[in-house]
Amino acid sequence: MLTPEKIDWVILAGGQGSRMGGVDKGLITLNDKPLVEYVIAALQPQTDSITINANRSHESYQGYAPVIADTFEQYPGPLGGIHAGLIHSGKHDWVGFVPCDSPNIPPNLAAIFCQAWQPDADILVAHDGDFYQPVFTLFHRRVADKLHDFLARGDRKIILFYDECKTYTVDFSQLKETFINLNTPEQLADFSKQILFKKHSV
């Protein structure tokens, strides 16, 4: 049986932030607070094991948690960060991954994943009722070698990797707001206005 305390968590902050003008998304501020702080605040009550995957700004991120970089060059995408998370030393067999730019992570994220666990599972991936949300996922460390080979041959599509593993979906259809991510300056500004509106309307 998988329980929340048996999961190491990795925050994926290793992307290039191309749609945000090339800036480091995890350190962009939302109402005067870096996005990564929202993610850490949501995860801390659920785990005592948080690591950040980043390929720049290491000194800034180390103020929050230990930092690991991709081992594959040329930014292979989220799977590069997932691979790094699987091979770094951790406490547990299961490693959870979330993006650095999603400020709506629920307090029961880990518990929902654990409810979907199956004894033969390699991967658990969130599904919002319409689509996979592949950067909200749990991987068992045993797939690390398989993922290395997948990336080494030039494959990058995470959906294809699911087909090579025993993958189960996790139902988040009642919590779609979990997957709001802020990819552009416009999305950041709109979300900031929503937060301020909610505060003033309470």
Side-chain angles (χ1 to χ4, degrees):
M1 180 66 68
L2 182 63
T3 55
E5 63 271 14
K6 296 178 182 177
I7 303 170
D8 296 317
W9 285 92
V10 176
I11 300 171
L12 297 171
Q16 300 181 70
S18 55
R19 284 183 287 175
M20 196 67 83
V23 298
D24 197 322
K25 285 199 296 182
L27 299 176
I28 290 175
T29 56
L30 171 64
N31 295 339
D32 300 319
K33 188 162 106 174
L35 287 175
V36 71
E37 288 191 17
Y38 290 89
V39 179
I40 290 172
L43 288 179
Q44 279 180 332
Q46 306 182 55
T47 183
D48 62 356
S49 177
I50 297 175
T51 303
I52 297 173
N53 162 243
N55 293 309
R56 53 182 167 164
S57 309
H58 283 195
E59 288 187 7
S60 296
Y61 283 122
Q62 283 169 352
Y64 299 108
V67 177
I68 54 172
D70 291 0
T71 60
F72 281 86
E73 298 179 352
Q74 306 301 320
Y75 291 100
L79 280 177
I82 289 173
H83 174 261
L86 292 178
I87 64 173
H88 92 282
S89 59
K91 302 178 182 179
H92 306 295
D93 291 336
W94 283 94
V95 186
F97 299 91
V98 291
C100 66
D101 61 347
S102 292
N104 267 359
I105 291 173
N108 58 341
L109 178 80
I112 294 172
F113 270 103
C114 289
Q115 290 169 6
W117 175 84
Q118 297 293 329
D120 62 341
D122 293 322
I123 299 171
L124 303 172
V125 57
H127 195 283
D128 67 8
D130 296 308
F131 304 102
Y132 282 121
Q133 297 291 336
V135 286
F136 287 82
T137 185
L138 262 61
F139 274 61
H140 196 284
R141 290 187 191 272
R142 64 172 161 260
V143 304
D145 289 344
K146 185 180 290 187
L147 179 54
H148 177 278
D149 294 343
F150 182 86
L151 291 169
R153 67 177 182 250
D155 286 323
R156 296 292 182 262
K157 292 185 178 180
I158 197 167
I159 300 294
L160 296 178
F161 188 68
Y162 292 158
D163 293 337
E164 297 189 14
C165 302
K166 191 67 175 178
T167 303
Y168 289 90
T169 57
V170 184
D171 182 12
F172 278 85
S173 58
Q174 302 303 310
L175 286 170
K176 288 191 176 187
E177 66 274 11
T178 298
F179 310 111
I180 291 173
N181 64 323
L182 306 176
N183 282 315
T184 67
E186 293 77 19
Q187 289 174 344
L188 185 71
D190 287 345
F191 191 77
S192 179
K193 291 175 184 177
Q194 292 174 30
I195 290 177
L196 291 174
F197 177 78
K198 288 179 181 177
K199 284 183 177 179
H200 292 309
S201 63
V202 172

